[in-house]
Amino acid sequence: MISHNETELIALGEQLGKLLEKQDVIILSGDLGAGKTTFTKGIAKGLGIDQMIKSPTYTIVREYEGRLPLYHLDVYRIGNDPDSIDLDDFLFGEGATIIEWGEQIEPSLSDAYLKIFIRKLEDGRELEFEAHGARAEALLASFEQAGDTDA
C-alpha cells in the first residue's frame, strides 16, 4: 500500500482506527522519520481522539481517551528489555495499543498483533502489513476491504 503524502498516511491510519477493538495491538516498524507517529495520529482520529498526538519517545507511553483508550508506546529506549515496563497493563487493558519500534519486544507479545512496516519512498511511504493471529487477520481483511470500497 502506498501513501503519497502525510494527509494520505493519516487517512489510512484513521481508516484502521475506526476498526480497532479493545486489546488490539499494532506494531509500527520503520526507520526514524518513516511516519510511525503520523500514522498513529490517523489511528487516534479514527478512535475519535481530539488531543494532539506526540511521540512517546521520552515518556515511553502516552494514553489518550476516545471511543477506546489508545495506549501509544515507543519502546526504542527500553531495547530488548520488555520487563522494564508492565506491558500487560496495555496489552490486556480496555483500549487499543500502538507500539512504535515494537519489533524489539515482539518475542514478549502474545500471538495476536498486526505489524505494519512503514518505509520512506522518494515520494511518500510504503506500508506493508503482517497479521499475527486470527484477530489481526480479521482486522487486516476489514481494513483492506474498507480501502477497496473507498477507492
Side-chain angles (χ1 to χ4, degrees), residues 67-128:
R67 174 178 60 81
L68 294 172
L70 174 64
Y71 311 120
H72 183 199
L73 287 74
D74 182 327
V75 297
Y76 183 79
R77 293 184 157 275
I78 68 168
N80 59 0
D81 182 18
D83 294 331
S84 63
I85 61 171
D86 190 0
L87 287 172
D88 288 353
D89 288 348
F90 308 110
L91 302 178
F92 304 109
E94 296 298 312
T97 303
I98 309 301
I99 307 173
E100 294 189 26
W101 304 100
E103 64 275 6
Q104 295 186 98
I105 61 166
E106 222 169 329
S108 301
L109 297 175
S110 71
D111 292 336
Y113 59 92
L114 180 63
K115 187 173 185 178
I116 304 171
F117 301 90
I118 304 175
R119 292 182 186 88
K120 291 184 200 179
L121 300 174
E122 198 170 299
D123 183 28
R125 302 293 188 263
E126 176 185 32
L127 285 77
E128 180 183 327

Side-chain angles (χ1 to χ4, degrees), residues 10-103:
I10 290 172
L12 288 170
E14 182 177 3
Q15 181 180 313
L16 182 61
K18 289 177 180 178
L19 301 170
L20 291 180
E21 297 177 0
K22 175 179 158 180
Q23 298 183 359
D24 279 341
V25 176
I26 309 294
I27 289 180
L28 298 178
S29 181
D31 292 335
L32 195 60
K36 296 179 293 294
T37 300
T38 300
F39 189 75
T40 302
K41 289 177 183 180
I43 290 173
K45 194 173 179 182
L47 287 169
I49 295 168
D50 296 329
Q51 294 170 268
M52 182 192 310
I53 304 301
K54 299 183 214 173
S55 175
T57 300
Y58 297 103
T59 58
I60 306 213
V61 65
R62 292 186 185 272
E63 185 174 340
Y64 303 94
E65 290 298 324
R67 174 178 60 81
L68 294 172
L70 174 64
Y71 311 120
H72 183 199
L73 287 74
D74 182 327
V75 297
Y76 183 79
R77 293 184 157 275
I78 68 168
N80 59 0
D81 182 18
D83 294 331
S84 63
I85 61 171
D86 190 0
L87 287 172
D88 288 353
D89 288 348
F90 308 110
L91 302 178
F92 304 109
E94 296 298 312
T97 303
I98 309 301
I99 307 173
E100 294 189 26
W101 304 100
E103 64 275 6

